[in-house]
Amino acid sequence: MIQSFPRPVQRLLRPHEPILGHAKRRWVRLVPYAVALMFTAILAPTTGVSLGKDYGLNSDLAAVLGVCQLALLLAVRRTLLAWFVVFTADAVAALAYLGVPRHAGLQWPWTPMAAIGLLVLYVALAMRERPRTLVVVWGVTGATAFLLQASSHERSTPVWVTVQVIGAVLMLIVFALRSRGDARRALAEQETISEAERARRTLLEERARIARELHDVVAHHMSMITVQADSAPYRIPGMPPEAVEEFGSIATAARESLTEMRRLLGVLRSEENGENGGTGRSGELAPQPGVTRVPQLVESTVRSGQPVELTVGPGVDAARLPQAVDLSAYRIVQEALANVVRHAPGAATRVSLSADRTGLTVLVVNEPVAGPAAPLESSGTGHGLVGMRERVRLVGGSLDTGPLPEGGYRVAARLPFAEGPDPGPGSRASNLSDSSGPSDPSERESPTA
């Protein structure tokens, strides 16, 4: 409704935040309302009585002009509108006084009540409006008073000059205090933001430090595994060919793990190395694993004693897969197979990759464990599931995990080719991932609706 009016009228009618509405204490926020109510209760009836009794105006007109002083109540939220109504009423009262006999000793063009009301409005405007608006309001009020006194010098008194001078001083003081308060609030907000940024940066630095320490610890042991596996055929004479091949597979898997760990650590250190003129971005530019590496992943899992069957559909073409989908598919299969090895050793497992025109479907299903085989791990952290969910959300897909009715477990992910932003908590991906349990019995969570 307000938008249909011209812009100046919109500024008059549009409500704003109450004066002192940003204050934290409730009693401070109520002070402007109390002040406006007090001056309204004093000036409204006094104006009507004084205009009719002292200035000799028509009683009905005096009553209407007194009622107009009720607009002071609007000064808390609609300050410009309150000034416009009160100023117009005061100007009408001054013009009406020109039509009645002159009474000596009366203030004109502004009555004492009008002078007080205008000063109150000057203060309210200085607490709300821009400097340009304050100058316009002060100038219009002063120019109107000057024209009125010029039309009748014998009635004019210097009250309007006093109102303008005191009003200018009040507006300067209030606006300076308001600017100082705004600056302090802006500084406090900036300090809060800076503190949050510092906390976030500290957290990221701590995570990077932990990642580097983890690399140092794990890399040492993986290097020892690689050396021992490579040297085993030379240190242990008469080793059967099957054992030599098994040690070779162990050494190969250890080297691949070390390579990938160093590449990921290179991403963490890329900024630091780049600043020092190093080649920190080399790890970031290294090829990422994808669906073309899934057969090798399955092969290494089979060599560990886990029966795995891989099915790759005819539509799965690594060349047409988006990079995020390609990498996510590999990581999901990698984590699912790792969970099967840890928590369901020896269970027959099926890995299926299929694609259509809209997306890639990844399915990893393990059957129940045959016999009394105990899991290699009796508890899980759930970090693998979190990683799956984050990767699926990254591409705007869906993840469904859970136990099968006949036993075993299933991990099913749908990765659309059209990459999109995180679908958020209301999306299908989020709902599925929230309602799904982990891909191993030790990490299962209670389903949620």
Side-chain angles (χ1 to χ4, degrees), residues 16-28:
H16 298 276
E17 180 187 10
I19 295 176
L20 299 182
H22 57 269
K24 296 181 180 180
R25 295 180 176 87
R26 186 171 183 270
W27 69 269
V28 176

Side-chain angles (χ1 to χ4, degrees), residues 32 94 116 126 152 163-164 183 226 247 263 334 355 364 371-372 410 440 448:
I116 295 174
S152 180
V163 170
Q164 290 301 102
T226 303
F247 276 116
R263 176 175 57 81
Q334 183 183 44
V364 180
R410 181 186 71 162
D440 61 79
T448 57

